[in-house]
């Protein structure tokens, strides 16, 4: 849908259609910084990839503010493989007419940043022919919410059961690892908030003193 790899937009939402012979596709958006100021800033939840058929992908992009961005991709050659970085990149320039959705990407705790972006999904939804149609926002509104998921039964029936089990097992392990990281980050932030050091620092000090005592006794 976009033959040139560099284009400008005055809207917050951009859609790109890609055709490639891969199992799954993952996209990420990075805000470019000025030269000499460091690495690009990753934009959280700024992309949503929907598999519309064999080899056809619809990439939704949401830019948070006027700036220059780099849209990068990772591919899954098979449903059980790890992602590989692809050389395809888009350079997107959001003009001054693009409405700012967040004040700053550096303030991750800002309410606007927490509400920004698409819902967090998993690329493997396309493996089972599932497409989330609504809602397409990260945070739900208070009250009733309309949730619509399209399931392609023919797409699901064409897959082998053995591969499905492998994919589901990878999804479970990935979800457990992500939850452990989230819990550890929350515990660390809570400890720092109350003026305490994280538990792992105390454990490190305790092991250090124990090794010193054992050396002294020896």
């Amino acid at each position: 849908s976009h033959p040139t790899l560099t284009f400008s937009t005055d809207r917050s939402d951009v859609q790109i259609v890609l055709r490639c012979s891969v199992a799954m596709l993952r996209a990420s958006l990075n805000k470019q910084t000025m030269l000499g100021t460091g690495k690009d800033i990753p934009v959280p939840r700024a992309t949503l990839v929907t598999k519309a058929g064999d080899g056809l992908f619809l990439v939704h992009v949401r830019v948070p503010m006027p700036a220059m961005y780099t849209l990068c991709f990772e591919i899954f050659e098979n449903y059980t493989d790890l992602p590989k970085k692809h050389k395809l990149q888009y350079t997107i320039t959001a003009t001054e007419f693009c409405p700012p959705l967040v004040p700053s990407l550096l303030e991750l705790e800002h309410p606007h940043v927490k509400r920004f972006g698409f819902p967090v999904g998993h690329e493997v939804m396309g493996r089972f022919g599932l497409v989330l149609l609504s809602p397409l926002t990260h945070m739900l509104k208070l009250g009733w919410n309309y949730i619509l998921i399209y399931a392609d039964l023919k797409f699901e029936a064409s897959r082998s059961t053995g591969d499905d089990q492998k994919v589901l097992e990878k999804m479970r392990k990935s979800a457990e690892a992500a939850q452990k990281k989230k819990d550890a980050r929350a515990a660390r932030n809570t400890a720092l908030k109350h003026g305490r050091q994280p538990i792992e620092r105390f454990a490190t000090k305790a092991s250090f003193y124990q090794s010193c005592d054992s050396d002294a006794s020896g």
Side-chain angles (χ1 to χ4, degrees):
S1 61
H2 290 71
T4 59
L5 299 180
T6 302
F7 62 92
S8 301
T9 180
D10 56 358
R11 299 180 302 172
S12 299
D13 291 340
V14 178
Q15 288 79 35
I16 300 175
V17 179
L18 298 175
R19 182 180 293 274
C20 51
S21 57
V22 296
M24 293 180 290
L25 184 69
R26 178 190 295 172
S28 60
L29 187 70
N30 298 314
K31 180 178 177 292
Q32 297 183 9
T33 57
M34 298 180 62
L35 296 177
T37 58
K39 297 182 179 180
D40 295 347
I41 303 175
V43 184
R45 304 175 299 274
T47 60
L48 177 66
V49 180
T50 301
K51 189 171 185 179
D54 289 339
L56 191 64
F57 297 89
L58 175 60
V59 183
H60 302 266
V61 182
R62 183 164 295 166
V63 294
M65 63 183 67
M68 291 187 64
Y69 300 89
T70 303
L71 180 63
C72 306
F73 297 94
E74 291 178 317
I75 60 173
F76 297 79
E77 295 182 352
N78 296 301
Y79 291 105
T80 57
D81 289 348
L82 295 175
K84 297 180 180 179
K85 188 175 181 179
H86 198 273
K87 62 181 181 180
L88 177 64
Q89 287 187 356
Y90 281 94
T91 300
I92 304 174
T93 301
T95 66
E96 64 273 14
F97 300 104
C98 182
L101 302 180
V102 298
S104 173
L105 293 175
L106 300 178
E107 302 176 8
L108 296 180
E109 297 300 324
H110 194 280
H112 291 290
V113 178
K114 290 184 176 181
R115 292 195 297 264
F116 173 78
F118 295 103
V120 179
H122 201 285
E123 301 83 5
V124 84
M125 288 180 61
R127 168 73 175 84
F128 300 98
L130 301 177
V131 179
L132 177 64
L133 301 178
S134 178
L136 293 180
T137 56
H138 173 62
M139 184 170 290
L140 299 177
K141 62 182 180 180
L142 185 63
W144 291 94
N145 290 272
Y146 181 72
I147 300 176
L148 179 61
I149 298 177
Y150 172 76
D152 189 348
L153 300 181
K154 295 181 180 179
F155 188 85
E156 162 62 15
S158 64
R159 305 301 179 185
S160 63
T161 305
D163 290 342
D164 289 348
Q165 295 299 327
K166 293 180 181 179
V167 173
L168 290 174
E169 182 65 19
K170 276 199 170 185
M171 289 176 58
R172 184 185 63 80
K173 292 182 179 180
S174 177
E176 290 179 353
Q179 186 62 39
K180 288 182 179 179
K181 290 183 179 180
K182 184 178 180 181
D183 295 341
R185 191 183 306 114
R188 188 180 299 107
N189 293 337
T190 302
L192 294 175
K193 183 178 180 181
H194 291 82
R196 301 192 301 269
Q197 292 181 331
I199 298 176
E200 58 267 19
R201 295 186 61 183
F202 286 112
T204 303
K205 289 183 178 180
S207 61
F208 172 76
Y209 290 133
Q210 289 177 0
S211 62
C212 292
D213 293 340
S214 60
D215 294 340
S217 60

